[in-house]
Amino acid sequence: MKILKQILDFYIKSSLHVGFAVLSLVYITAFSNDLCKHIIYPCCVFCGTVFGYNVLKYFEVLTKKTIVLRKYFCIVLVTIITLVGFLFFLNRLITIVKVQLMLAGIMVFIYPFLRKFGIIKMFLVAFVVAFITAFISFNPKYTSVSWLVICLAFAQRFFILSALMLPFEIADAKEDAKYFDTLPQKFGLVRTKYFGYFLLVVFLIFDIVNSIYNSNFRMQFFLIDIAIAIVTAVFIFYSNENRSQYYTSFWVESVPIFWLALFLIFGQVL
């Protein structure tokens, strides 16, 4: 049991779980819009996510002491491997996608400078992940989807990701400095949760609009999205400052993986 816990902790702390969550979002876009399911871009996103997340999370720690470097050796190794993987797959993408990913990378590394602006920071994360998984995924080389459908997909993804960020904001509210000005600090726990429910309603409204303009839309997709909105609402409802790290870092981050699983089982798009 102890070994399983150590494996789970490493899986979470090395950001592999985050990587699979973002990878799932890329494939959700592909399956729900009948896009090319080429493996190069998803692999590039997975490697880039793990590398970028680890750099943001551990850079300050790893630059302090060599003894800490030894402690995080396996995480450093994963980070280096994913950097190599990211560059390998990036080199095989078309130029416009490379440029868009580089732009996303710049936005990611702006993140530490926005930590004190809690609300902006939260929406920046949602924007970047939506940009990577629901905008760049519409590769112009492989799709003729209209710009309206692309913008609707991006807006949908932005709102659901913003809602999924709230359990993290609530969990960190006790440790965040007061000047970070996060949503829970500014508006309180109850209003923050209501805001999350509002984001989920907007997400479903965009889903309805998408059904009008997207020729690839199916009723199963809407039912799946309702299920995901309900699951997210439950996580928001039960969020508080005393939840364990597994609540957010594993269970909440598993929502995109669960979302993709629903597409594979019930979407009938394979």
Side-chain angles (χ1 to χ4, degrees), residues 114-122 169 176-187:
L114 296 177
R115 282 204 70 200
K116 64 175 69 175
F117 306 104
I119 297 175
I120 297 175
K121 174 204 71 176
M122 184 191 89
E169 296 292 300
D176 283 339
K178 295 297 181 184
Y179 60 81
F180 278 7
D181 202 27
T182 62
L183 275 172
Q185 291 174 339
K186 194 172 182 66
F187 299 107

Side-chain angles (χ1 to χ4, degrees), residues 65 146 183 242 253:
K65 296 180 181 178
S146 71
L183 275 172
N242 299 314
E253 287 182 356

